[in-house]
Amino acid sequence: MPKKETIVVVGAGILGLTSALRIQERADSKTEILIVAREFPSDRSIDYASPWAGAHYRPIPATTPQDIKEHALSRVTYQLLKQEAAVEPAAGIIFLDGFDYLQTPSDAYVELRGGYAEIDGFRLLEKAELPEGSVWGAKYRTWCLNSPVYCAHLLRKFVLKGGKTKRHRLNSIEEAFSMASDINTVVNCSGFGFGDPNVFTTRGQTCLVSNPCDRTITQQNSDGSWSFVIPRPLHGGTIVGGTKEPNDWTSEVSLETRDVILQRVATMFPQILNAEGKFDVVEDIVGRRPTRRGGLRLEVEWVGEADASRKIVHAYGAGGRGYELSWGVAKEVVELVYGDKTSKMKSSL
Ligand SMILES: Cc1cc2nc3c(=O)[nH]c(=O)nc-3n(C[C@H](O)[C@H](O)[C@H](O)COP(=O)(O)OP(=O)(O)OC[C@H]3O[C@@H](n4cnc5c(N)ncnc54)[C@H](O)[C@@H]3O)c2cc1C
C-alpha cells in the first residue's frame, strides 16, 4: 500500500516523545510518523531539558486559568503513569509518598484552592509533623521517574512500532516541511520554539547523589528558594535540588550554589546522609527549563504562501512542568493534529 502522508514531530524531549506515541496510536497504516531532532535520549546538552529533570509530580493550588488548565493536563499524566508504573517496571516510574513543607505559604495554599485535594492519599500535616520553620505541610502519593531511562524507553517504544527518526538541526519550523515530499502537518515540540519572543530560560542547578531516598520532599524556604529530593528509580540515585533562575544562561556549575543546595537538604532531611553524615555526589547538573510567558503554547497555526493549507501544532514552553503535563499535552496535540479541536490562532493555554 503506498504511503500517503508523513507527520513530522520536531523534538525528542518528553513532549515530542509522548506526542509522537499518541499520534502513532491514532494514525492509519498509510501515515508515517517521523521525529526530527537535534538531540535524542542519551544525548547530553544543556539546551535539551528532558534528561536533566528530577522528575516528579507536585500538585499546586490552581487559582489562575493557566493553573487550572495545567492541573487538568497533569491529572491525565498522573493517571497514565499510574497504569504504566503497574505494568512496565522497565519504564523507570514509581509511586511513593511526597511531602511538602512551606515556610511562607501563599493564601492559595492555606485556603487550599484546587490542586491538592484530588491527589491519592492527600492529607494536611499536623504542626508536630512539620520541620522547624515550616508552617504548612502536606503528604500525598506521587510519582517520580528516572528521566533519561524513561525517555529512552519511550523512544524505543516509538521505533518498535514503526516510528522513524532523523537527527537534524532545523533552522526554522517551516524547514520541517522539507523533510519529506508528503508533509502537511508538523508538530513543534522544540522546547524553546523558534524565535518566540515570549520564551525564556529558567536555569536549574541540581546535584545527583548516590544516597538512597524513599520519598520526595519539596520545601519552600523563608527566602522563597526551594529545596527538594527526588529519587531516581532503577538505581539512578537521588536528585537533590535546586535552583530556579529565570533568564540566567550560565552554563557552568556554581560550587557555591552546590554547597548551599546540599547544606539546606542535609538540614531538611538528615536521614539521606551516609554513615559519615555526607552526600555521595555523582555529578552536578545544570539544565535550562524552556519557559514561556503566558504558559505553554498549545495551539494550531496554519501556514503556506498560497492557501495556508499546512498545519503546525505548537507544543512548547512547558517550563518546569514538562513531565507533569506530558500525557495531557500529548492528548491535546492529537486532537489538534486530527482537527477535533477548533484550529485557530489564540494565545496559548
Ligand atoms: C533541573 C531541572 C529539573 C526539572 N524537574 C522537573 C520535574 O520534576 N518535573 C517536571 O515535570 N519537569 C521538570 N523539569 C522540566 C522539564 O525537564 C522540561 O519541562 C521538559 O524537559 C521540556 O521538554 P520538551 O520536550 O518541551 O523540551 P526538551 O526536552 O528541551 O526537548 C526539545 C527537543 O527539541 C529539539 N530541538 C530544539 N531545537 C531544535 C532545532 N532547531 N532543530 C531540531 N531539533 C530541535 C531538541 O533537540 C530536543 O530533542 C526540570 C528541568 C530541569 C532543568
Side-chain angles (χ1 to χ4, degrees), residues 1-8 23-34 161-162 164 180-184 338:
M1 196 181 294
K3 180 165 71 70
K4 257 192 358 205
E5 192 192 359
T6 299
I7 296 176
V8 172
I23 295 167
Q24 202 173 40
E25 280 169 13
R26 171 78 180 258
D28 64 26
S29 59
K30 289 181 250 167
T31 305
E32 188 164 282
I33 318 300
L34 170 67
K161 286 181 184 164
K164 303 286 181 235
S181 58
D182 54 1
I183 301 168
N184 288 310
Y338 286 95

Side-chain angles (χ1 to χ4, degrees), residues 54-56 144-145 213 215-217 228-232 237-240:
H56 75 147
C144 72
L145 55 80
C213 185
R215 63 194 68 185
T216 73
I217 306 177
F228 51 86
V229 287
I230 308 172
R232 276 190 165 176
T238 303
I239 293 287
V240 174

Side-chain angles (χ1 to χ4, degrees), residues 242-306:
T243 69
K244 294 178 184 173
E245 302 162 277
N247 294 307
D248 188 334
W249 292 91
T250 310
S251 57
E252 291 79 31
V253 169
S254 159
L255 294 179
E256 204 177 303
T257 300
R258 180 222 264 196
D259 288 346
V260 173
I261 290 171
L262 294 183
Q263 187 49 54
R264 281 187 162 156
V265 170
T267 308
M268 172 182 90
F269 188 53
Q271 299 90 315
I272 195 175
L273 301 174
N274 66 18
E276 285 89 50
K278 294 197 170 120
F279 284 105
D280 299 306
V281 174
V282 178
E283 67 171 337
D284 294 293
I285 287 174
V286 177
R288 292 180 178 146
R289 301 174 179 94
T291 319
R292 187 168 181 271
R293 267 178 291 280
L296 173 84
R297 186 175 183 197
L298 191 52
E299 65 178 353
V300 169
E301 180 183 5
W302 290 97
V303 295
E305 273 176 26

Side-chain angles (χ1 to χ4, degrees), residues 138-152:
K139 180 180 177 191
Y140 49 89
R141 290 297 285 176
T142 189
W143 54 260
C144 72
L145 55 80
N146 185 328
S147 47
V149 168
Y150 182 59
C151 284

